[in-house]
Amino acid sequence: MSSVTPDQPRRPAGVHADARPPDRPTAGSRVPSPRHPESSRSRAPLPVAAGVAAVWAAVTSYLPVALVLGLAQLSEDAATLPGALRAGLAGWLLGHGVPLQTTAGPLGLVPLALTVLVFWRLTRAGVHTTRAMGARGRRSPRQALTAAVAVGIGYALLGVLAALLVGSGSGLGVSPVRAGVSFALVGVLGALAGAVRTTGVAGLLAEHAPGPVRDGVRTGLVAGLLLFGAGAGAAGLAVATGGGDAADMIGAYRTGVAGQAGITLVSLAYAPNATVWSTAYLLGPGFAVGTGTAVRTSEVTVGALPAVPLLAGLPSGPVEGLGAALLAVPVLAGMAAGWLLTRRLSRPTGEERAEPGWPALLGPAAFAGPVAGLLAALAAGLSGGPLGNGRLAEIGPVVWQVGLVATAVVTVGALLGAAAGKLLGRR
């Protein structure tokens, strides 16, 4: 009787049951699907991807501004929806560095909190555009720059449209050309920051940069962040000390709870500006809150000021007594950055601890000073601006003074901190 059943077909003679063709996988084995490079996947056209990313970055950075300014305008008989939307557009333009022409003069004091939000959203736009064009991880500077320029062009068109809308329906004057140039510059820089990271160009540049330059840039950035952190702490302490005056200023606005909340949020939008001004105060050059005014550790000369809660923390006079210890804060920030540089270069390699030589240590420490000075000067330039043609036409620190003093202070502090870290590390 045959052993062949309907479920067990007859096999040719000489062929065993477990025999398999050499090119056929066995039962239960998984065949990996072929990997397709990112360039072979379906990619969106560059104009479409960049346009969508730019529009989304604009919407997500504009809506919070419209909400805050709508609350600030809210009162019993004011604040309509079109007015809030138009005011949001005006504030959004101001956050990009576009001055507004009013009957009292130019309004150019940029709320840096909004600028940071805009830059972050544009960074994400650069990331999305790079991924859409299939350039992720390609380490191609050309593709990173192409994505950034595409986003910048689309963003510039949105800036021109916003300027036309604000200038046509209100008493504000906005230059469409200035808006287009400012939006293009901010759009390209923000998108480029995201594109170089997504494509891997940032890692490529770090690999080809000399070691002392790379360590010096990192130390300078750390020193700059420590300086701004000290400035933020000093500004927060000053505002907290004058919290009663700030509350009285907010209560003087007869706008109800919602309106006072909006005014508070507007003041918080300028908190990064106050941080930069406080840093300039700690460094020594100080800042101005109007024509002919000066706020320094050695001199405080101010006149009548507007009822702005953020100005409630201004010092009433020069620093005396124990307050003079504030002058040592920038030097300590530089020393901390130099100390961290020594710790980073002295990390154990294998079973032994590497000890950097003096040139390899002092070179990056000296280079950290100009990096921190450039960062401080850039922040000082962005934090100031006019509030009309009157005595508030000059607000903020002097850029070159802040940059020069920060360079000198951080250089000396980083050298001292690096040398102290090396000497104490030997012990």
Side-chain angles (χ1 to χ4, degrees), residues 40-332:
S40 63
R41 298 175 183 174
S42 59
R43 297 180 298 179
L46 179 59
V48 175
V52 172
V55 170
W56 182 243
V59 170
T60 52
S61 60
Y62 161 73
L63 289 180
V65 184
L67 177 61
V68 170
L69 292 182
L71 289 175
Q73 290 182 340
L74 192 61
S75 64
E76 296 181 357
D77 55 352
T80 61
L81 180 60
L85 295 178
R86 189 174 292 111
L89 277 179
W92 188 59
L93 289 169
L94 185 62
H96 292 77
V98 181
L100 307 176
Q101 298 296 329
T102 65
T103 56
L107 177 61
L109 189 61
V110 180
L112 289 185
L114 175 57
T115 305
V116 172
L117 173 62
V118 167
F119 194 84
W120 172 60
R121 295 310 308 164
L122 287 170
T123 300
R124 298 304 304 168
V127 171
H128 297 321
T129 304
T130 304
R131 291 175 177 175
M133 61 185 295
R136 182 179 183 180
R138 293 305 182 87
R139 313 188 85 179
S140 172
R142 181 183 60 82
Q143 290 181 322
L145 185 60
T146 300
V149 171
V151 174
I153 292 175
Y155 205 67
L157 296 177
L158 295 176
V160 172
L161 178 60
L164 294 175
L165 291 176
V166 171
S168 62
S170 64
L172 298 176
V174 184
S175 172
V177 177
R178 175 65 183 272
V181 173
S182 298
F183 272 64
L185 180 61
V186 175
V188 170
L189 292 178
L192 187 62
V196 296
R197 182 179 179 182
T198 306
T199 57
V201 175
L204 182 65
L205 294 177
E207 291 175 2
H208 288 80
V213 174
R214 185 169 58 248
D215 294 331
V217 171
R218 181 180 300 179
T219 305
L221 293 178
V222 170
L225 292 178
L226 291 176
L227 281 177
F228 292 136
L237 180 61
V239 173
T241 303
D245 296 336
D248 293 339
M249 291 180 183
I250 295 177
Y253 293 92
R254 306 293 182 179
T255 56
V257 177
Q260 292 176 1
I263 294 171
T264 303
L265 293 175
V266 171
S267 300
L268 291 178
Y270 283 97
N273 301 63
T275 296
V276 178
W277 300 347
S278 179
T279 304
Y281 177 81
L282 294 177
L283 287 171
F287 57 95
V289 287
T291 305
T293 64
V295 181
R296 307 187 186 96
T297 54
S298 59
E299 175 190 4
V300 176
T301 304
V302 295
L305 297 175
V308 178
L310 200 61
L311 299 179
L314 288 178
S316 57
V319 174
E320 297 178 355
L322 296 178
L326 291 174
L327 300 177
V329 171
V331 180
L332 293 177

Side-chain angles (χ1 to χ4, degrees), residues 33-41:
S33 58
R35 292 182 175 271
H36 298 283
E38 192 170 354
S39 59
S40 63
R41 298 175 183 174

